[in-house]
Amino acid sequence: IAKQILVAGLIALAAISCSARPQNDVEVVEYESDNIGIGGYKFSYKLSDGTTRTEEAVLNNAGTENESLSVRGSVSWVAPDGQTYTINFVADENGFQPEGAHIPK
């Protein structure tokens, strides 16, 4: 009887943990990546929930004391209300500079 109670308890615990998992698993629909070495990189992806991201980096002034990385990209996602939000950004020697219709100026 103790074994049956233990098994029943384990089954109940498994059922609880499965029901606590999110029911809307997000999958990668598209993915591209190009690591162009020490001179920069670029990648993009699209998820099944409508989220997208692209990013590209370039090494400026390679080998000098003014060497810096410039990154440009964008990210979009669908909010729970169905509206799509997009942020375009640059990150370089001037810092992170995001732009988007929903971001105050």
Side-chain angles (χ1 to χ4, degrees), residues 54-66:
T54 61
E55 185 170 311
E56 184 170 359
V58 177
L59 183 63
N60 301 312
N61 305 311
T64 71
E65 66 180 47
N66 295 323

Side-chain angles (χ1 to χ4, degrees), residues 75 77 83 85-89 96-105:
V75 61
W77 68 94
Q83 184 171 345
Y85 291 91
T86 301
I87 296 175
N88 297 306
F89 62 88
F96 181 69
Q97 305 146 56
E99 293 181 353
H102 62 286
I103 299 175
K105 295 186 183 229

Side-chain angles (χ1 to χ4, degrees), residues 38-41 56-60 66-71 91-93:
I38 60 172
Y41 65 87
E56 184 170 359
V58 177
L59 183 63
N60 301 312
N66 295 323
E67 184 174 278
S68 65
L69 192 64
S70 294
V71 181
D92 57 17
E93 65 274 359

